[in-house]
Amino acid sequence: MNKIGIFFGTDSGTTRLMAKKMSKLLGDAAAKPVNVNRSTADDLLQYDALILGTPSYGINQLPGKSTKVADGCWEEFMPQLQGADLSGKTIALYGLGDQEKYPDRFAHSLIHLYDWCMAGGADVIGQWSTEGYTFDHSPSVVDGEFVGLILDQRSQSLLTDERLAAWINRIKPTLLAKLAN
Ligand SMILES: Cc1cc2nc3c(=O)[nH]c(=O)nc-3n(C[C@H](O)[C@H](O)[C@H](O)COP(=O)(O)O)c2cc1C
C-alpha cells in the first residue's frame, strides 16, 4: 500500500485525536487513521510503513475489555496479529499516558506493541528521549529511551503539539522512503 497506515486504540478519544493530528502533519502520504476495534489483521498488514498508537490502561497489558474499554481495543485485536511476519515493515509507535497519576507505570502499554514489532522482525523507528517527563518507572523505556513518542494530555498537554511536530518531522523521511521502495 502506497500510504502510511495509522492505527490506534482508544477509550476516551485522545489517542484518536493524536492520530488525526499526525495524519494532518503527514498530509497526502497518510491513509485515514483507523481504530483497531474496527480493523482486521489484513487491513493493517497491507502497509509497509505504519504508525501505531495506544493509551495505557490496566497493569502490564494492552488496553481492552479487561481494562474496561467497552468497545474493545488492542487486547482484542492483537490475537489476530500474533506471529505475523513484519520483516520489511517500518513501524513508528506512540503512546498516551499520565505521568502525574501513574508515575510508577507511565505509558506502560506501549511496550507490548514494541515487543510485538520486534518479535515480527519490524524496523521500529521514532524512539524518543525521556527528557522533559517526570516519572519513576516506565516499562516503555528501553536502552534509556522511550520506544516511541509518549504524549501526556493530562499533565503536559501544552507540550503535545511541539512534540508531535518534532517527532513527525523526524520519522517522515524514513516512512516516505519506505513508500518509494
Ligand atoms: C482508569 C484509568 C487507568 C489509567 N492507567 C494508566 C496507566 O497505568 N499508566 C498511564 O501512564 N496512564 C494511565 N491512564 C491515563 C490514560 O492512558 C490517558 O489518559 C490517555 O490519554 C487516555 O487515552 P484515550 O483517551 O485514547 O483512551 C489511565 C487512565 C484511566 C482513566
Side-chain angles (χ1 to χ4, degrees):
M1 179 63 77
N2 213 22
K3 292 253 183 198
I4 299 162
I6 305 177
F7 291 79
F8 63 87
T10 188
D11 186 24
S12 43
T14 321
T15 315
R16 177 193 297 112
L17 178 66
M18 298 304 121
K20 284 187 175 167
K21 284 175 180 271
M22 289 179 194
S23 173
K24 205 169 170 192
L25 288 166
L26 287 165
D28 285 346
K32 193 170 177 242
V34 180
N35 191 324
V36 293
N37 71 6
R38 293 190 194 162
S39 178
T40 66
D42 287 347
D43 292 339
L44 186 148
L45 294 172
Q46 69 183 316
Y47 294 96
D48 287 331
L50 282 156
I51 297 177
L52 309 178
T54 185
S56 286
Y57 292 109
I59 297 174
N60 193 25
Q61 65 178 105
L62 281 166
K65 289 187 179 166
S66 71
T67 67
K68 300 197 170 71
V69 181
D71 292 338
C73 194
W74 284 104
E75 182 184 34
E76 288 71 32
F77 186 50
M78 201 38 99
Q80 296 181 49
L81 294 166
Q82 275 316 318
D85 177 11
L86 305 176
S87 53
K89 296 192 187 299
T90 299
I91 304 181
L93 303 172
Y94 74 99
L96 276 286
D98 181 343
Q99 63 203 284
E100 270 182 15
K101 204 159 175 195
Y102 304 95
D104 54 335
R105 54 174 201 267
F106 179 43
H108 65 84
S109 296
L110 193 62
I111 193 64
H112 300 288
L113 293 187
Y114 177 75
D115 287 345
W116 172 74
C117 289
M118 296 308 280
D123 182 16
V124 179
I125 63 166
Q127 286 78 3
W128 187 251
S129 170
T130 58
E131 230 169 89
Y133 301 81
T134 304
F135 60 97
D136 297 326
H137 176 69
S138 173
S140 300
V141 173
V142 172
D143 294 336
E145 284 189 313
F146 288 122
V147 296
L149 174 66
I150 299 298
L151 299 168
D152 184 340
Q153 281 293 90
R154 296 269 160 187
S155 319
Q156 291 185 332
S157 60
L158 291 179
L159 298 176
T160 291
D161 284 346
E162 192 185 315
R163 284 173 172 163
L164 264 174
W167 189 68
I168 290 290
N169 269 343
R170 197 197 298 166
I171 64 171
K172 190 173 177 178
T174 314
L175 293 174
L176 291 180
K178 193 75 215 170
L179 301 185
N181 278 340

